[in-house]
Amino acid sequence: MASAKAMGQAERDHFVLKSGHAMPAVGLGTWRAGSDTAHSVQTAITEAGYRHVDTAAQYGIEKEVGKGLKAAMQNGIDRKDLFVTSKLWCTNLTPERVRPALENTLKDLQLDYIDLYLIHWPFRLKDGAHQPPEAGEVLEFDMEGVWKEMESLVKAGLVKNIGVCNYTVTKLDRLLRCAKIEPAVCQMEMHPGWKNDKIFEACKKRGIHVTAYSPLGSSEKNLAHDPVVEKVANKLNKTPGQVLIKWALQRGTSVIPKSSKDERIKENIQVFGWEIPEEDFQVLCSIKDEKRVLTGEELFVNKTHGPYKSASEVWDHEN
């Protein structure tokens, strides 16, 4: 059973990765962040105290994130105190495209290096692939070749750490067989409605840090409105969002809540100096596992032509 103080990490405001680098425990997520992204990033850093920003080329907002980072640094925040994550998109999952993709991200973010570069999904897509993909638009992914290029980015000093998102244990094991630099981080959807225990335990065993995305669930299944979460929040005099973020931290994961509202951005990082008592933590853990919010189906599944004909195949039938 998960403990309320996973490995004594409940009160840490950062986690130390395999590389020795410190990763702030709460980051600002920027998926679907909208037109105020630059303002949100600047506000998060200069007013709310965030030091970790998570973005991706595919979000289409890295230039805006870059403006926000630049504004924060012009306000006196030191680059070395910030932790910036980005991700390599599926159309660039071929060895010769890895470095140009990162260089584009660096240019948009107006940075010389990023702290963490992740493979966004372990599937290669043809340029201009439809959603869902048509026949022939999901291509062979040379995981070993791509990872070797990711490793070369670390050696070149362009990236401090490398890792993966949306992996299964099967794919992680395949990667670990060829990796000279092991993934420092595995980013996955995780919340009390989708605990994702299998990959979480596999990462813990291998010393790979886990970051939880969609910590509040989704608009379809918003856990902030779950009666169990609301009850714990009322008891602790916290918001449901704070309780869900704290649950992730006490479990031993970093977490990247997203909001474009200044007030919510500030609320979401006020999760230190208090904790969820063990009994309430276990009540949250016992929320019935519903299902993933992000199945990958619209991105990768072609029910007629494959190669993936169901979401279950995308996840190697592991859940």
Side-chain angles (χ1 to χ4, degrees):
M1 209 177 210
S3 159
K5 276 199 170 179
M7 301 182 292
Q9 289 169 328
E11 265 315 295
R12 290 189 192 172
D13 63 1
H14 68 276
F15 293 92
V16 178
L17 306 179
K18 279 174 184 265
S19 58
H21 295 122
M23 180 184 200
V26 178
L28 179 72
T30 60
W31 184 46
R32 294 181 176 165
S35 56
D36 289 341
T37 301
H39 168 80
S40 296
V41 169
Q42 183 184 353
T43 300
I45 296 168
T46 58
E47 293 182 35
Y50 286 72
R51 292 295 177 265
H52 172 183
V53 176
D54 179 278
T55 191
Q58 178 62 8
Y59 301 166
I61 47 143
E62 288 194 319
K63 281 186 176 159
E64 292 302 304
V65 172
K67 285 176 195 166
L69 292 170
K70 188 177 184 180
M73 289 188 271
Q74 284 171 341
N75 264 337
I77 304 293
D78 203 326
R79 168 66 185 101
K80 69 175 170 42
D81 294 330
L82 295 173
F83 191 102
V84 180
T85 300
S86 187
K87 309 179 192 82
L88 176 67
W89 184 243
C90 303
T91 49
N92 292 320
L93 282 186
T94 181
E96 69 280 2
R97 286 194 175 195
V98 173
R99 184 155 178 163
L102 173 75
E103 285 170 346
N104 207 40
T105 277
L106 290 175
K107 187 170 143 232
D108 286 350
L109 293 174
Q110 303 182 56
L111 297 176
D112 299 325
Y113 70 90
I114 55 171
D115 301 273
L116 177 62
Y117 200 36
L118 303 172
I119 290 176
H120 204 148
W121 286 89
F123 305 99
R124 185 177 154 219
L125 291 173
K126 194 174 179 176
D127 287 320
H130 296 78
Q131 291 188 18
E134 293 179 2
E137 291 186 342
V138 179
L139 306 170
E140 180 107 3
F141 170 32
D142 173 11
M143 192 190 292
E144 292 75 9
V146 165
W147 192 254
K148 202 173 172 185
E149 289 303 312
M150 300 274 283
E151 291 171 335
S152 76
L153 300 176
V154 177
K155 290 170 194 151
L158 298 173
V159 167
K160 301 278 188 196
N161 299 276
I162 49 179
V164 296
C165 289
N166 302 309
Y167 259 53
T168 57
V169 178
T170 305
K171 290 186 179 77
L172 189 62
D173 285 343
R174 178 181 157 193
L175 178 58
L176 291 173
R177 284 196 292 273
C178 75
K180 291 188 172 63
I181 300 174
E182 292 195 353
V185 172
C186 178
Q187 189 182 117
M188 301 295 296
E189 176 186 339
M190 284 185 179
H191 42 77
W194 183 256
K195 290 180 275 293
N196 224 339
D197 281 319
K198 195 165 186 175
I199 189 81
F200 184 40
E201 293 305 323
C203 287
K204 269 204 292 200
K205 206 159 69 180
R206 294 157 175 82
I208 298 167
H209 176 69
V210 173
T211 297
Y213 73 72
S214 295
L216 278 56
S218 71
S219 48
E220 298 86 57
K221 170 75 180 162
N222 188 338
L223 289 166
H225 303 311
D226 186 290
V228 176
V229 176
E230 286 180 333
K231 190 176 175 188
V232 173
N234 289 337
K235 176 181 170 183
L236 300 177
N237 200 22
K238 302 294 175 189
T239 68
Q242 287 170 332
V243 165
L244 289 162
I245 291 161
K246 188 65 174 182
W247 177 85
L249 296 176
Q250 286 185 208
R251 205 171 172 227
T253 66
S254 53
V255 61
I256 45 170
K258 176 200 86 70
S259 181
S260 51
K261 296 186 176 79
D262 289 3
E263 184 190 341
R264 193 69 48 77
I265 286 170
K266 290 170 187 173
E267 251 173 33
N268 284 347
I269 201 166
Q270 289 165 13
V271 286
F272 302 102
W274 60 278
E275 64 181 49
I276 301 169
E278 179 73 32
E279 59 181 323
D280 297 309
F281 181 85
Q282 295 301 346
V283 165
L284 292 168
C285 287
S286 68
I287 288 177
K288 190 177 173 308
D289 257 8
E290 293 284 329
K291 56 180 192 313
R292 296 178 188 280
V293 170
L294 218 61
T295 63
E297 185 163 333
E298 65 177 35
L299 287 169
F300 309 115
V301 171
N302 182 314
K303 291 177 179 174
T304 310
H305 301 287
Y308 304 99
K309 293 184 176 180
S310 68
S312 185
E313 286 182 20
V314 165
W315 298 101
D316 295 323
H317 304 287
E318 286 184 8
N319 322 97

